[in-house]
Each structure stands twice: as C-alpha cells, then as structure tokens.
Amino acid sequence: LSPVCLGSLRRAASINAEYMGYTNTIESIQTLLEKTEDLVKLGYHDCEVSLTDEIEESAQRLMDLPEESNITARVAQDIKLVWADDGLQNTFQLRHNFQIPGCASYFFGKVVLAR
C-alpha cells in the first residue's frame, strides 16, 4: 500500500476508535444510571443518586441520548456531574453484577478532557 493509503487507513481507524469510545461511554453511563435506579428499588440505598435538580436534569438528558450520539460539551458536563455522585460510584462498585467495563471509569473521568 502506498503511504497515502496507509495514512487514510490510519485516520479511518482513529475516527472509528473515537466513535466506538463515544458509543461505549454513553452506553456505559446509561447502563449505570439504569442499574442505579434498579438497585435502589431493591433496597440498596447506598446506591441512591443525590437527586439535586442539576443531577436529575443531567441524568435525564443522558438517558434520552441515542447511543450513537457524539459527546458534546453539554454531554461531557452531564457525565462529569453524574459520575461524581456517590450513589453512582457505589453502583459502579457492583458492576460485576451487570455489564459495564472496568475501564469505563477512565473514560468517565477523561470525557471532559476530550472535548
């Protein structure tokens, strides 16, 4: 392959990896929010999210996002806000009961830096 083709392939792979990172981050935060709600219903009150108006609005915006959304500055701020909540952190510690990759915490922490 020519250097031009290789450069194009690398850019395409980079764009695809970035897209997958966005999709996985959004899907993971949505799953975490859903499981937090489920655990609270089951009596795990240490997983309760502090429902300040700001967190509640952020959580709802995140839940309403299609999985294939881009991470905008608003989405990044919403992820940062809900990720900082103790209840969500407690739910994350129980992630072995549902499918959230362990590396999700890395992306939740870095998402604001990426945008």
Side-chain angles (χ1 to χ4, degrees):
L1 289 174
S2 73
V4 173
C5 288
L6 286 175
S8 295
L9 287 173
R10 285 188 190 115
R11 276 192 299 284
S14 177
I15 290 168
N16 188 43
E18 183 178 352
Y19 172 76
M20 291 306 296
Y22 292 158
T23 300
N24 290 341
T25 300
I26 290 170
E27 184 178 307
S28 292
I29 200 73
Q30 288 173 332
T31 299
L32 195 56
L33 287 164
E34 288 170 4
K35 296 304 179 184
T36 296
E37 188 176 317
D38 292 347
L39 288 169
V40 170
K41 288 177 185 174
L42 292 172
Y44 289 83
H45 296 291
D46 56 340
C47 293
E48 236 171 309
V49 174
S50 308
L51 286 179
T52 64
D53 288 342
E54 189 177 18
I55 291 175
E56 191 170 358
E57 289 171 10
S58 291
Q60 190 58 56
R61 276 193 298 271
L62 290 168
M63 291 305 296
D64 291 342
L65 283 174
E67 287 178 8
E68 59 279 349
S69 297
N70 287 327
I71 296 181
T72 63
R74 175 83 248 178
V75 171
Q77 187 60 32
D78 287 341
I79 291 171
K80 180 182 177 185
L81 184 66
V82 299
W83 178 238
D85 182 82
D86 288 340
L88 215 67
Q89 294 285 325
N90 290 335
T91 300
F92 185 76
Q93 295 307 314
L94 299 170
R95 71 186 176 278
H96 59 277
N97 294 310
F98 41 89
Q99 274 196 288
I100 293 182
C103 64
S105 62
Y106 173 83
F107 290 102
F108 296 155
K110 299 292 184 192
V111 70
V112 176
L113 299 176
R115 283 281 153 199

